[in-house]
Amino acid sequence: MQNENLNPTEDIIICRDVHKWFGDFHVLQGVNVTIKRGEVVVVCGPSGGGKSTFIRTINRLEEHQRGDIIVDGIELTSDLRNIHAIQREIGMVFQSFNLFPHLKVIDNVTLAPFWVRKWSKVEAVKVGMELLERVGIPEQADKYPGQLSGGQQQRVAIARALAMQPKIMLFDEPTSALDPEMIKEVLDVMVELARSGMTMIVVTHEMGFAKEVANRIIFFSDGNIVEQNTTEEFFLNPREARTKLFLSQILTH
Amino acid sequence: MAVQSETMKPPRSEVGLLGWLKKNLFSTWYNVLLTIFSAAFIYIVLRAVITWVVRDARWAVVTTNLRVFMIGRYPRDEAGRVLVSLGIIVLMTALTWVFRKAKGKPRRWLVIGWLLSFPLITILLRGFSRESPFLPLVSEDIWSGLLLTLVLAIVGILASFPLGVLLALGRRSKLPIIKVLCTMYIETIRGVPLISVLFMSQLMLPLFLPPEIRLGTVMRALTGMALFSAAYTAENVRGGLASIPIGQYEAARAVGLNEALVMGLIVLPQALRAVIPAIVGQFISLFKDTTLVVIVGLLDLLGIAKAVTAQKEFIGLHKEAYAFTAVIFFICCFTMSYTSRRLEQRLGVGER
């Protein structure tokens, strides 16, 4: 396996022939993809096509049943130590925020660094406040998630994921549950993050965001990658009929 | 907005005592009728009760036997030990109330204080050995009255709660054996009346335990009560666990928490908070169920009331004895219920 990854520091995520079934439903049908360090990849496609399931297999929220997933040199197997090691390196932002409602904003952010990274409380709070400043809401630190707007909650969720200092960030439709006027504040944070050199995989329909920062677009449909290309090529010269159809549907408005 | 509310006052009929009366008691002709009937009913009942309490009742049965009601057969010379124990609890409760908003150090000391007070009180009440000059043994089997009721309830609650949480977690376990065992336990206990569990614990426990360990009647009754209550607590907690959205587990795992931390930091705190009302309801019913220990020969508060009225000079004074008992039960249960409501408010149950 090692000799296959000639440059393991370059390829941070390697998926080879990844399959997954939900019961009889073959949701991932042999996905092959490699993500490079620092790359920003947007995954788009019709709903039900398996794109969310795909990124959720990368941090083991879903278990793949065949094929290999190698994250930063660690292979995802049923070995719990490997799973936790990978989960520590990957931050994830969900469509429905999933903040911990019983904890204050700052505690949401410092929880994992304190309990998993074993930082001191003082250090964790210091880093946590820096992150809240980075996402633009340091003044909300002592509130509970329920007291924040959707856009603010999603920015807290980004700060919470960043607090573990992950090497990779996964975004699962981060703006789909937001009111239109709040989408921009979240996308702004994500653009800043992308420009800082973070490796990002973003499932989204925000094509403006894709055009602005993505290095590569992956079009996902019916359980597999239909087409992938650099951002420019993807929008200018889509090759597959399904891609063209999808683009015509989402870009007409 | 402020200007508007100053210039436009609500109509007079909507505010003040008269407005309230009109709105709530005399709004329609049938509400007027209901109000009059209810007032008459309340008057008749209250008058009868007050007349009985103030004029007819012979409270000597209670005042003469107050010590018996409280501690039953606990030796008169050792009664001070019960008072000291009560003092410890009152002191700790007061300290908890004073430092209720404190965090960090004082809070840690409170927890340590409570943890220490239980073994301390146990030693204080039970003593060492029969010959010991200092704190001679008072076997728990002669504890009775309110003391026994409280001991059964408090120890029962403290023992059944963690057991119930473990059973609830076990019932949701991915390991089939643990799941089946916990489910069987919970369903069996819930399918059986408490009286039979109490009988079984009296008769069967000695058979299961090694012969060196001999539990007294009170300990066996306590075990029965705790095992019984744990099954119900488990079902309540399971309801709380089921109410936690899957996204919480996913988010917790995604930030790198392991299974134990996911449970301990994210899921259980929210689940338990959500079921405070149900759990306190379970504790209240456990408290009242302690009266059933009469059938295994123990004299709890209710048993004492019965025993007291069997004395020659107090024959026929059941009403007074039972009324007194009822008032004490009400005070205890209402306190629990009130505390639970305060706790809910403070922890913000229902706010997500």
Side-chain angles (χ1 to χ4, degrees):
Chain A
M1 190 174 305
Q2 285 301 318
N3 48 2
E4 282 179 46
N5 322 329
L6 288 175
N7 195 346
T9 55
E10 229 7 65
D11 296 337
I12 196 162
I13 300 171
I14 302 164
C15 299
R16 271 188 303 239
D17 194 30
V18 172
H19 288 262
K20 166 147 192 84
W21 287 263
F22 286 131
D24 283 338
F25 179 52
H26 198 177
V27 57
L28 296 181
Q29 305 177 0
V31 179
N32 282 295
V33 72
T34 303
I35 312 274
K36 291 192 189 320
R37 205 175 285 271
E39 205 176 6
V40 176
V41 176
V42 162
V43 182
C44 62
S47 38
K51 52 193 192 304
S52 279
T53 309
F54 167 62
I55 70 164
R56 287 156 58 87
T57 56
I58 295 173
N59 69 343
R60 228 346 135 93
L61 290 184
E62 303 287 354
E63 192 178 340
H64 62 287
Q65 286 135 348
R66 242 176 68 191
D68 308 317
I69 298 177
I70 298 153
V71 179
D72 201 24
I74 307 170
E75 182 169 3
L76 257 184
T77 57
S78 50
D79 186 340
L80 274 179
R81 271 171 312 168
N82 280 3
I83 292 174
H84 288 310
I86 287 176
Q87 283 173 343
R88 281 196 295 273
E89 301 308 327
I90 302 181
M92 182 150 189
V93 176
F94 299 86
Q95 179 177 354
S96 48
F97 327 137
N98 296 349
L99 291 179
F100 307 130
H102 62 304
L103 299 176
K104 286 180 179 162
V105 164
I106 184 70
D107 296 328
N108 264 277
V109 177
T110 57
L111 182 88
F114 178 76
W115 287 94
V116 181
R117 290 260 190 257
K118 310 280 182 200
W119 292 0
S120 73
K121 194 90 206 168
V122 179
E123 198 184 353
V125 169
K126 185 172 154 279
V127 173
M129 284 309 296
E130 282 167 14
L131 284 169
L132 287 179
E133 232 147 272
R134 186 169 169 192
V135 300
I137 39 175
E139 71 283 359
Q140 313 287 353
D142 286 323
K143 289 195 182 162
Y144 284 90
Q147 299 167 297
L148 270 52
S149 74
Q152 291 172 327
Q153 290 195 42
Q154 194 61 301
R155 287 188 280 158
V156 173
I158 295 173
R160 176 180 69 179
L162 290 174
M164 283 294 281
Q165 306 191 314
K167 294 178 176 147
I168 302 161
M169 285 284 284
L170 305 177
F171 293 83
D172 189 2
E173 306 209 24
T175 55
S176 301
L178 293 175
D179 291 337
E181 74 271 23
M182 292 170 185
I183 292 178
K184 186 177 177 299
E185 66 188 53
V186 172
L187 289 180
D188 285 347
V189 171
M190 289 168 61
V191 167
E192 185 270 323
L193 190 60
R195 295 202 168 126
S196 74
M198 175 66 75
T199 309
M200 290 166 64
I201 305 182
V202 186
V203 173
T204 186
H205 296 123
E206 295 293 334
M207 288 303 131
F209 170 81
K211 283 176 185 165
E212 194 171 348
V213 292
N215 304 111
R216 181 162 38 135
I217 314 247
I218 292 176
F219 180 68
F220 217 98
S221 183
D222 300 317
N224 215 332
I225 294 172
V226 174
E227 178 169 355
Q228 53 175 317
N229 216 329
T230 60
T231 308
E232 206 166 302
E233 279 297 303
F234 181 85
F235 286 111
L236 284 178
N237 302 310
R239 291 184 297 253
E240 301 285 329
R242 272 185 293 179
T243 319
K244 286 176 188 160
L245 179 67
F246 179 75
L247 283 178
S248 72
Q249 279 163 344
I250 61 166
L251 293 180
T252 43
H253 295 291
Chain B
M1 288 304 277
V3 177
Q4 198 180 33
S5 67
E6 255 178 37
T7 50
M8 285 195 56
K9 292 217 169 88
R12 271 194 72 86
S13 61
E14 292 293 314
V15 288
L17 181 66
L18 275 178
W20 185 88
L21 281 177
K22 187 163 186 299
K23 201 162 140 197
N24 292 288
L25 297 180
F26 301 104
S27 53
T28 55
W29 65 267
Y30 49 86
N31 269 353
V32 173
L33 267 184
L34 259 176
T35 303
I36 292 170
F37 274 122
S38 313
F41 180 75
I42 293 171
Y43 173 74
I44 291 168
V45 171
L46 263 188
R47 202 177 78 133
V49 168
I50 292 173
T51 318
W52 181 75
V53 168
V54 177
R55 203 184 64 195
D56 298 340
R58 290 168 52 202
W59 294 110
V61 63
V62 173
T63 49
T64 330
N65 290 306
L66 200 55
R67 189 180 59 84
V68 182
F69 270 108
M70 293 300 125
I71 58 174
R73 290 185 290 156
Y74 203 91
R76 188 191 290 263
D77 301 338
E78 306 292 334
R81 286 153 62 170
V82 181
L83 279 180
V84 175
S85 306
L86 187 68
I88 295 175
I89 291 183
V90 169
L91 178 73
M92 282 308 299
T93 311
L95 283 177
T96 309
W97 192 79
V98 170
F99 292 106
R100 66 192 182 282
K101 289 203 174 105
K103 283 216 161 101
K105 263 230 176 87
R107 202 178 187 137
R108 198 172 311 154
W109 282 112
L110 275 181
V111 173
I112 294 173
W114 276 112
L115 288 180
L116 283 180
S117 64
F118 286 106
L120 190 69
I121 289 173
T122 312
I123 293 171
L124 206 58
L125 288 178
R126 201 164 177 282
F128 298 103
S129 71
R130 222 173 286 279
E131 297 81 29
S132 163
F134 177 66
L135 294 181
L137 176 77
V138 181
S139 162
E140 68 271 12
D141 284 339
I142 64 166
W143 298 0
S144 32
L146 181 62
L147 172 66
L148 178 66
T149 298
L150 287 178
V151 166
L152 285 174
I154 293 173
V155 180
I157 286 169
L158 291 179
S160 69
F161 179 67
L163 191 59
V165 172
L166 285 180
L167 281 168
L169 292 177
R171 192 167 183 175
R172 288 169 61 93
S173 166
K174 282 180 213 138
L175 305 171
I177 297 181
I178 292 181
K179 186 181 172 132
V180 166
L181 281 179
C182 290
T183 309
M184 268 171 57
Y185 176 85
I186 291 170
E187 294 306 333
T188 311
I189 294 281
R190 277 170 22 111
V192 173
L194 175 57
I195 292 193
S196 54
V197 173
L198 283 175
F199 265 126
M200 293 291 265
S201 68
Q202 291 300 321
L203 301 173
M204 306 283 277
L205 265 186
L207 301 180
F208 287 124
L209 291 170
E212 307 88 72
I213 303 177
R214 285 182 44 210
L215 292 180
T217 316
V218 169
M219 286 307 289
R220 278 181 276 168
L222 248 181
T223 315
M225 302 225 41
L227 292 178
F228 182 81
S229 182
Y232 285 86
T233 307
E235 283 301 273
N236 288 333
V237 173
R238 191 168 69 100
L241 289 174
S243 75
I244 305 300
I246 185 94
Q248 291 289 306
Y249 292 86
E250 291 182 346
R253 275 158 55 202
V255 291
L257 302 186
N258 61 31
E259 298 301 314
L261 289 178
V262 172
M263 265 299 152
L265 296 175
I266 306 301
V267 178
L268 267 184
Q270 294 186 60
L272 293 181
R273 190 177 296 193
V275 295
I276 289 173
I279 296 222
V280 174
Q282 169 57 27
F283 289 167
I284 289 176
S285 89
L286 169 76
F287 184 80
K288 293 189 290 186
D289 285 347
T290 56
T291 50
L292 286 173
V293 294
V294 168
I295 60 139
V296 292
L298 292 171
L299 287 179
D300 74 317
L301 184 58
L302 197 66
I304 287 285
K306 201 171 178 200
V308 158
T309 50
Q311 290 168 296
K312 228 188 306 166
E313 61 269 46
F314 298 121
I315 279 180
L317 296 180
H318 296 104
K319 266 186 277 181
E320 287 81 354
Y322 285 128
F324 177 66
T325 314
V327 167
I328 292 188
F329 268 100
F330 175 78
I331 291 172
C332 293
C333 293
F334 184 76
T335 309
M336 281 198 258
S337 163
Y338 177 77
T339 316
S340 137
R341 254 180 295 142
R342 290 295 302 270
L343 199 64
E344 283 165 42
Q345 280 167 6
R346 243 188 71 197
L347 295 174
V349 172
E351 286 172 27
R352 285 199 63 93

